[in-house]
Amino acid sequence: MNLRIAVPVIVLLVLAMDSPLQAGETRVHTIMLTGNVSGEQVVETLEDGRVRIVRAFNDRGRGPDTTTIVRLGAGGLPVAIEIEGVDYMK
């Protein structure tokens, strides 16, 4: 699967599995590779209702460092996703 497709899919899965965040709430998830902590993902709901996900991890000197903004529409479904940063290969 293409990394540019995989990242938003993973983000949406995490959003779907987690209970809804309240405005201003922040959650931190630890990213582990082969049993070792290699990074983290911080998910927070902004005051305007958008969700910001900052995700970074290191896999042998490589790894993504991205900030994703998700705008949710009716029913909590994503209507816009913006991703900035570097992908796995930098």
Side-chain angles (χ1 to χ4, degrees), residues 18 21 26-31 39-44 54:
D18 223 349
L21 293 171
T26 300
R27 292 198 184 145
V28 178
H29 302 140
T30 300
I31 298 173
E40 71 178 12
Q41 173 175 279
V42 179
V43 181
E44 68 178 313
V54 178

Side-chain angles (χ1 to χ4, degrees), residues 29-77:
H29 302 140
T30 300
I31 298 173
M32 300 185 72
L33 293 174
T34 63
N36 299 307
V37 174
S38 62
E40 71 178 12
Q41 173 175 279
V42 179
V43 181
E44 68 178 313
T45 301
L46 305 175
E47 294 300 325
D48 63 3
R50 294 178 302 154
V51 178
R52 177 174 38 215
I53 301 118
V54 178
R55 181 174 160 266
F57 70 86
N58 187 331
D59 177 21
R60 298 166 298 185
R62 290 177 263 187
D65 186 356
T66 61
T67 298
T68 303
I69 303 290
V70 180
R71 187 167 47 89
L72 303 174
L77 297 175

